[in-house]
Amino acid sequence: MTKPYVFITRKLSDDVIVALQDVAEVKMWPKEEIAVPREVLLEEAKKAAAIITMLSDKIDAELIDAAPNLKVIANLAVGFDNIDVSYANSKGIIVCNTPEVLTDTTADLTFALLMATSRRVVEAAQFVKDGKWKSWSPLLLAGHDIHHKTIGIVGMGKIGEAVAKRATGFDMDILYHNRSRNLAAEKSLGAKYVSFDELIETADFIVCLTPLTNETRNLFNENSFKKMKKSAIFINVSRGPVADEDALYQALVSGEIAAAGLDVFDKEPIDATHPLLTLTNVIALPHIGSSSTETREIMMALCCDNVIAVLQNGKPKTPVRI
Ligand code: 8YV
């Protein structure tokens, strides 16, 4: 019997696909740093029973229609806004993601970005390397404290909880806003549920962790940045389009807010000439929230396990439910 065909849209480590190769014929796009071209993906989809994909690939109706044998799409991410999940499901195709396994790693990076932004770590390190450190002065590269400040978390899911847990170690007051109350976070972490407006008006650090949906697109806009404190620091580790980048740029330039730490952008990779990248009060990272070698291996393995499970018994480990 011929094995089902699985296409993986980026090069994963060889070890991680061994088990998958037992049950399927596996082909990987060979380039780690270059996304598979759309026409190649459309061609591969024609024979694929499974596709392991990631944020940079658009799995839309056209692609799904080009894939008559497709049973499962496994996304190497917890977010799945790159996939038309309802269309896939309407065709009987299961979509899987990688929840939970990346929670702590993403929360670590969120905190790293928060700390680096408020204490001007990148600017200060560059200052030393550039040979600009000629003398010590009391306010040399003075940043702002983190401890005893107020963190406002927009999107209190698993990653939000893990960020809140880290904030307790800094004796921070924790506010959150979410579609629904997270009573567990309130009880165990002392997080306080507030309206979106109260959160953005009161918090010193506004941390965006909400998924990208029609409701959250441009949630952070000109109006919201105006309502923030002038000392506020905005951190986005979810999806770029949740914040209006032009409005964010204006808010940073005009001093409406103090700084921003961004791991995600409207268009990724962000163009090196983007205005946001000219600002010293912006720290920009290349969407590395869950990128530790340990966690990426686990995410890759989970994608493979989901595909194996669907191909063998139709029962995925971590299906997306919408
Ligand atoms: C992924 C992410 O690594 O999980 C997510 O939703 O944004 C990251 O963890 C990224 O999307 C690459 O696919």
Side-chain angles (χ1 to χ4, degrees):
M1 219 175 74
T2 56
K3 287 180 179 171
Y5 183 73
V6 177
F7 183 65
I8 307 181
T9 66
R10 286 300 167 95
K11 177 146 179 29
L12 305 189
S13 64
D14 290 328
D15 295 349
V16 106
I17 61 164
V18 171
L20 185 57
Q21 281 169 322
D22 282 344
V23 300
E25 180 195 342
V26 181
K27 182 166 166 194
M28 284 195 282
W29 172 247
K31 300 184 182 144
E32 216 164 313
E33 285 172 17
I34 301 174
V36 60
R38 176 80 179 169
E39 56 285 7
V40 174
L41 188 52
L42 281 166
E43 200 50 41
E44 293 293 345
K46 285 185 187 163
K47 44 187 180 179
I51 297 178
I52 297 182
T53 186
M54 37 223 85
L55 189 64
S56 44
D57 314 311
K58 208 168 167 43
I59 310 293
D60 54 9
E62 182 196 24
L63 196 120
I64 291 164
D65 284 340
N69 305 318
L70 197 57
K71 291 192 172 62
V72 53
I73 302 163
N75 207 32
L76 188 82
V78 63
F80 43 82
D81 45 289
N82 56 317
I83 302 175
D84 189 339
V85 179
S86 46
Y87 192 69
N89 288 169
S90 76
K91 298 276 167 185
I93 299 165
I94 296 170
V95 177
C96 301
N97 63 346
T98 58
E100 316 265 334
V101 295
L102 48 65
T103 297
D104 282 320
T105 302
T106 308
D108 288 349
L109 192 278
T110 307
F111 236 83
L113 199 46
L114 183 156
M115 293 174 74
T117 311
S118 55
R119 296 300 304 269
R120 303 170 65 185
V121 170
V122 174
E123 221 183 315
Q126 198 55 47
F127 179 84
V128 176
K129 284 193 177 172
D130 288 347
K132 290 184 181 163
W133 188 23
K134 303 293 182 205
S135 72
W136 184 88
S137 66
L139 285 177
L140 179 64
L141 284 153
H144 289 283
D145 280 337
I146 298 154
H147 60 274
H148 294 133
K149 293 282 179 73
T150 299
I151 186 171
I153 300 173
V154 177
M156 192 57 122
K158 291 284 176 217
I159 300 172
E161 285 175 18
V163 169
K165 189 169 166 197
R166 283 152 181 76
T168 61
F170 287 79
D171 295 321
M172 298 177 94
D173 287 329
I174 304 166
L175 305 179
Y176 79 96
H177 183 75
N178 200 44
R179 264 174 314 181
S180 52
R181 296 274 292 266
N182 182 332
L183 297 177
E186 291 182 23
K187 195 158 174 246
S188 62
L189 301 164
K192 185 177 166 216
Y193 176 83
V194 290
S195 68
F196 179 71
D197 275 359
E198 184 175 344
L199 184 145
I200 59 175
E201 282 161 14
T202 342
D204 298 301
F205 297 95
I206 293 135
V207 178
C208 172
L209 286 166
T210 186
L212 176 63
T213 62
N214 289 338
E215 290 73 45
T216 63
R217 188 174 294 275
N218 282 343
L219 176 68
F220 292 94
N221 52 37
E222 197 185 330
N223 255 337
S224 11
F225 291 122
K226 277 198 186 359
K227 287 180 184 165
M228 292 178 189
K229 292 179 176 175
K230 288 205 175 348
S231 56
I233 293 183
F234 176 69
I235 306 291
N236 191 359
V237 193
S238 73
R239 289 293 181 264
V242 178
D244 175 339
E245 279 179 359
D246 292 340
L248 174 60
Y249 175 78
Q250 285 309 329
L252 286 159
V253 169
S254 64
E256 263 159 31
I257 66 169
L262 309 169
D263 186 41
V264 289
F265 302 90
D266 243 352
K267 187 179 159 290
E268 295 179 5
I270 188 170
D271 194 291
T273 62
H274 193 291
L276 277 172
L277 303 187
T278 63
L279 304 178
T280 44
N281 52 350
V282 168
I283 295 183
L285 301 179
H287 201 147
I288 52 167
S290 63
S291 184
S292 69
T293 46
E294 298 89 340
T295 292
R296 281 288 153 91
E297 287 277 314
I298 296 169
M299 290 165 70
M300 290 173 194
L302 181 54
C303 284
C304 293
D305 288 351
N306 270 310
V307 169
I308 295 169
V310 174
L311 295 180
Q312 287 189 331
N313 59 23
K315 293 200 180 87
K317 291 184 141 191
T318 51
V320 168
R321 297 193 204 281
I322 51 167

